[in-house]
Amino acid sequence: MKYKNILYSFLLTILISVLWSCASQPCTENTLSTVNVSFYQTGTGLSVAVDSVTLYGIGMDTNRIYNKSTGLRVIQIPLDAGKDSCSFFIKINNSPDTVTFHYSSYPHLVSKECGFTFYHVLDTPNWKRPEFNYQLKNINITTANEENIRIYF
Amino acid sequence: MKRISAYISSLLLFTALTGVSGQDKVPVPMTIKIGADIYGPLYNIYDRKTNNLEGFLSLDIDTGKAVVLEAGHLSYEYSQYNYDYLNNGLFFRLGMDFNLLKPGTAIGKYYAGIGLRYGLSIFTSQVPFLKHDNYWGTATGSVPSSTHSAHFFEVSPGIRTELFKNVVIGWTIRLRILIYSSTGKDLKAVYIPGFGNGTKSFSPGINYYIILSIPYKK
């Protein structure tokens, strides 16, 4: 009798687990791949927060990604997966610049529930007026929030 | 209604017999079992885009163990607001079933046990349409058709009981772990035939079998 109860309890637990797993789940993963830019202090190499950041795509100035945002150590820049390059206006503290990213894109399945995103492989960015020291750390643009570019000032 | 009553009666009889201790010598026939899954065709009535057909062949090697070969075909379509997915392919599972009931209890008619399987899936998948929205708007794309394979390991507890002479019914729960898929990390299969959700390393499933049991030795 004890053996039978243990067996039935085990099978019932597994059946419930199977039915629960088969129920549709919501999308909970990050689906946005971005170029992650971190700020560092020249000399010490320590991470620093900038006083002010403004960032928007060229032709998208009414839709600003960052609008005089303060106290940021990292900013995230989305690329246009429908093209192989895109340009941004960026102003760090009081120094404006324009940067153009060239890249290749490929689809990546995030999950069944979330669907696909696009990952990118970055070429060396073109800065119009390089007033800062830029360092390309990782050319792979994914959803993993890894550091891609360092700006030293 | 008659069959349902017979099934319920068999299940009750099976339940009663599990409390009975086995005899020293019980003539238990060795059988070859040939069966088909009916859960897949029934599920197809609910979801017309998933068509899974599979069969079952087992050979008793003693009163508690059997060698099992399962095979099947899956045709799968999935669509949501941001992508469409197509997949079809064959799968095979090879392994053994272990009956945890004593021979005197099972008497060649009842099974409550655990199966172990190695699975292989060969399939073709395609993403005819996908889209992704971000700051810049909507980007679209597609992934052309390509052929892949996947290997997995499975533990399958289940119960079977004789409905009437030489006809057995029962269900099996499948707990699968993906060993390897050739799709790569960027274009994982949404569904792998015989395995399930290809984006997960663990995938559960269930089958309901009707089986013809043919004695070949006593």
Side-chain angles (χ1 to χ4, degrees):
Chain A
M1 179 63 78
K2 184 182 174 185
Y3 166 79
K4 183 179 65 173
N5 288 340
I6 291 171
L7 176 64
Y8 288 169
S9 299
F10 172 69
L11 291 172
L12 184 62
T13 302
I14 291 179
L15 181 62
I16 292 170
S17 302
V18 167
L19 293 173
W20 180 82
S21 297
C22 291
S24 79
Q25 307 290 325
C27 172
T28 57
E29 292 95 341
N30 176 24
T31 61
L32 295 176
S33 61
T34 55
V35 179
N36 297 311
V37 179
S38 306
F39 304 111
Y40 291 84
Q41 191 171 54
T42 305
T44 65
L46 295 174
S47 169
V48 294
V50 296
D51 295 331
S52 172
V53 174
T54 297
L55 175 76
Y56 53 84
I58 299 300
M60 304 273 282
D61 51 314
T62 56
N63 185 6
R64 300 190 172 195
I65 301 169
Y66 300 97
N67 188 17
K68 299 177 185 175
S69 302
T70 61
L72 296 177
R73 293 178 182 270
V74 179
I75 60 172
Q76 295 177 308
I77 306 176
L79 302 179
D80 186 351
K83 297 178 182 172
D84 55 12
S85 68
C86 56
S87 301
F88 295 87
F89 171 85
I90 182 169
K91 187 174 181 181
I92 302 172
N93 296 339
N94 288 317
S95 300
D97 200 350
T98 301
V99 59
T100 298
F101 294 104
H102 297 271
Y103 47 88
S104 58
S105 305
Y106 58 95
H108 171 89
L109 179 66
V110 176
S111 68
K112 177 185 177 184
E113 296 78 16
C114 295
F116 288 81
T117 184
F118 283 92
Y119 282 4
H120 314 277
V121 181
L122 204 58
D123 290 336
T124 303
N126 294 328
W127 305 87
K128 199 167 186 181
R129 288 194 300 164
E131 297 194 12
F132 303 115
N133 180 15
Y134 303 93
Q135 186 181 20
L136 183 59
K137 295 292 290 182
N138 181 1
I139 64 172
N140 295 303
I141 310 305
T142 69
T143 53
N145 287 329
E146 294 168 323
E147 183 182 72
N148 300 111
I149 294 173
R150 288 188 175 187
I151 295 180
Y152 293 87
F153 60 98
Chain B
M1 180 59 82
K2 213 171 168 184
R3 286 177 186 247
I4 294 171
S5 301
Y7 172 67
I8 293 171
S9 303
S10 295
L11 199 57
L12 289 171
L13 179 62
F14 162 72
T15 307
L17 286 174
T18 52
V20 175
S21 56
Q23 302 169 13
D24 286 339
K25 284 188 179 180
V26 178
V28 177
M30 299 289 102
T31 61
I32 295 171
K33 293 185 178 65
I34 303 169
D37 169 57
I38 57 176
Y39 179 82
L42 287 175
Y43 188 81
N44 181 246
I45 296 172
Y46 163 71
D47 179 2
R48 286 294 186 184
K49 295 186 176 182
T50 301
N51 192 6
N52 188 68
L53 301 172
E54 61 180 275
F56 168 98
L57 177 67
S58 82
L59 174 72
D60 291 345
I61 55 176
D62 64 29
T63 56
K65 294 190 283 291
V67 176
V68 179
L69 173 65
E70 295 159 338
H73 179 269
L74 172 78
S75 173
Y76 178 83
E77 292 181 38
Y78 181 76
S79 182
Q80 62 180 47
Y81 77 97
N82 57 351
Y83 75 101
D84 297 328
Y85 181 81
L86 304 174
N87 185 313
N88 70 82
L90 299 171
F91 58 91
F92 305 90
R93 301 188 205 100
L94 179 66
M96 292 192 66
D97 279 345
F98 300 90
N99 195 346
L100 302 179
L101 298 176
K102 294 178 184 175
T105 305
I107 52 172
K109 298 179 182 180
Y110 308 107
Y111 169 89
I114 297 276
L116 300 176
R117 307 276 191 273
Y118 165 76
L120 170 65
S121 181
I122 300 169
F123 58 94
T124 301
S125 63
Q126 180 184 5
V127 183
F129 164 77
L130 64 94
K131 72 170 186 175
H132 175 69
D133 295 317
N134 72 353
Y135 172 77
W136 292 97
T138 301
T140 60
S142 64
V143 179
S145 176
S146 56
T147 301
H148 300 281
S149 64
H151 307 255
F152 55 93
F153 178 73
E154 178 182 289
V155 175
S156 44
I159 289 178
R160 293 194 286 270
T161 185
E162 187 174 71
L163 183 60
F164 46 84
K165 187 173 172 58
N166 296 340
V167 176
V168 175
I169 57 174
W171 49 266
T172 301
I173 291 173
R174 301 196 180 272
L175 308 172
R176 306 151 178 149
I177 295 175
L178 187 64
I179 299 170
Y180 171 78
S181 172
S182 68
T183 54
K185 61 179 175 60
D186 290 309
L187 296 175
K188 291 181 180 178
V190 171
Y191 202 94
I192 296 175
F195 175 78
N197 188 336
T199 66
K200 308 283 186 191
S201 58
F202 170 76
S203 177
I206 191 166
N207 289 105
Y208 198 92
Y209 283 104
I210 183 161
I211 298 167
L212 184 63
S213 180
I214 305 166
Y216 74 90
K217 181 179 157 185
K218 274 211 172 174

